[in-house]
Amino acid sequence: MSNQNENKFKSLLEVLLVSTRLGFTSFGGPIAHLGYFYEEYVRRRKWMDEKSYADLVALCQFLPGPASSQVGIGIGVMRAGLLGGILAFLGFTLPSVIALIVFAVLLNQLGFADYGWIHGLKIVAVAVVAHAILGMAKNLTPDLQRRTIALFAIVLTLLWQTAFTQVGIIILAGFVGYLLYKQQTIDDTTSSSKFPISRRFAYGCLTVFFGLLILLPILREATAINWIAMFDSFYRSGALVFGGGHVVLPLLEREFVPTGWLTEEQFLAGYGAAQAVPGPLFTFAAYIGAVINGWQGGLLATIAIFLPAFLLILGTLPFWDTLRRNPKVKGALMGVNAAVVGILIAALYHPIWTSSILSAVDFAFAAVLFSMLVFWKLPPWVIVLTGAFGGFLLSLL
């Protein structure tokens, strides 16, 4: 029994340490985060196989909320149970939460920013995402049919840019995959995933998710208490956004700027800071909360905007392994996984490439970083530091 407890403690500590390191080094937005996770959890540590990772990504892309955070929570749960999921979330999220709360508190004293190193970190994201796409495409689009699905996903993602684009593409790709592969015998090389949470607990999480979505606006109108109004605004933003962190920013702007909770200038300053820090873009909520009500407001905002993501991933994970092993569902997932590759390729172009590669020098620097990661096998944190320093030097030219 003592050995079992010791092993559990080691697993929890490992989850916390690894996720915290990712929280300090994962720059570049949600798509880049999936690349960092793939490198760390799948290729390096082999906590799960590539198909299970792709399936988890597909599930989290389908759910509303911050997809990269939900993927991290899911990996933590599968590795070390519910507490592992909580620690994975805390490790990945707290570095940027603390940084943005500090920035909000010191906003009036610090009136400058060096955008050179930020641009270097954007170029890092190009290299990381490109590497992740190469690995995933090799395994998830091995035949002409799935490559065609990926191609259509690229085209639709780039030409039909709405908040519901990814969900629509995933549904369509799942239907096409079902039609193409429902009669095909599939070599099941995916190991069984373990979800150490019960279905009863999952039903409870889904009940709380929908209950708060209905109850919070009612309480807001009935009480007129500021902290309830804040919690409601952040919770609804986290619960109803599809498409990741970039989509939640305009939702938050509409919730807090017109109502006078913060000025347009304060919002834009925080937006720049959120782009500069590692971790999920949803931590921008911590900045807004801290501007409104100090560090307490920052913590309240963080809990409120991430709570829906927690409830949804914990409410769906226990059913996911059974569903994806059904032959018909598995055929649909083959289509979905191919579409995820296409969505990642489209995201590599826009917004990552279009906002990062602005000159021949930028492209050359991206090629160097990509070679360091792929050919020289250097760890991601070395790539991040090199990118930041190189971006600063390029800004001096």
Side-chain angles (χ1 to χ4, degrees), residues 1-17 80 83 87:
M1 192 69 175
S2 60
N3 287 337
Q4 185 178 358
N5 291 335
E6 184 178 347
N7 291 334
K8 185 176 181 180
F9 176 78
K10 287 182 179 179
S11 296
L12 290 171
L13 182 60
E14 185 182 26
V15 167
L16 178 61
L17 292 177
L83 186 55
L87 292 178

Side-chain angles (χ1 to χ4, degrees), residues 91-328:
F92 183 61
T93 308
L94 279 183
S96 55
V97 166
I98 294 171
L100 289 173
I101 288 177
V102 170
F103 179 76
V105 172
L106 301 178
L107 180 65
N108 293 329
Q109 287 85 7
L110 300 177
F112 65 92
D114 182 5
Y115 291 101
W117 63 271
I118 297 176
H119 183 64
L121 295 177
K122 291 182 178 180
I123 298 177
V124 169
V126 173
V128 171
V129 175
H131 186 208
I133 288 173
L134 285 178
M136 295 183 73
K138 180 180 178 181
N139 294 285
L140 302 178
T141 57
D143 54 47
L144 180 60
Q145 292 93 329
R146 278 178 277 183
R147 289 170 187 166
T148 303
I149 293 174
L151 173 62
F152 276 99
I154 295 170
V155 174
L156 290 174
T157 302
L158 292 176
L159 299 183
W160 181 41
Q161 297 187 14
T162 71
F164 299 96
T165 296
Q166 290 185 3
V167 177
I169 291 172
I170 286 173
I171 293 174
L172 180 61
F175 179 69
V176 173
Y178 166 78
L179 294 178
L180 290 175
Y181 298 106
K182 63 179 179 179
Q183 302 296 340
Q184 181 170 319
T185 301
I186 303 168
D187 180 21
D188 192 355
T189 57
T190 304
S191 60
S192 178
S193 301
K194 296 180 180 179
F195 304 101
I197 49 179
S198 68
R199 293 193 173 193
R200 184 177 180 181
F201 180 79
Y203 283 125
C205 289
L206 293 177
T207 300
V208 172
F209 170 79
F210 289 107
L212 288 176
L213 202 57
I214 297 170
L215 183 62
L216 283 173
I218 297 174
L219 287 176
R220 179 177 188 163
E221 293 298 323
T223 62
I225 299 175
N226 279 345
W227 73 265
I228 292 180
M230 278 183 60
F231 198 96
D232 172 52
S233 292
F234 284 115
Y235 184 87
R236 276 189 293 106
S237 297
L240 301 178
V241 62
F242 288 89
H246 291 288
V247 180
V248 81
L249 297 177
L251 291 181
L252 292 175
E253 193 273 342
R254 288 195 295 268
E255 285 284 343
F256 292 100
V257 174
T259 56
W261 291 57
L262 73 165
T263 66
E264 186 73 28
E265 291 74 20
Q266 289 173 319
F267 184 89
L268 292 175
Y271 178 82
Q275 300 292 331
V277 298
L281 277 173
F282 269 55
T283 54
F284 181 47
Y287 165 84
I288 295 177
V291 169
I292 295 173
N293 196 29
W295 65 266
Q296 299 95 329
L299 291 180
L300 176 70
T302 302
I303 294 170
I305 201 166
F306 281 104
L307 181 58
F310 249 103
L311 295 173
L312 283 173
I313 194 65
L314 294 177
T316 53
L317 268 180
F319 309 101
W320 188 237
D321 199 53
T322 300
L323 286 175
R324 72 190 181 98
R325 290 182 178 282
N326 181 291
K328 295 180 180 179

Side-chain angles (χ1 to χ4, degrees), residues 70 90 100 122 255 332 346 370 396:
Q70 289 169 315
L90 291 176
L100 289 173
K122 291 182 178 180
E255 285 284 343
F370 181 82
L396 300 178

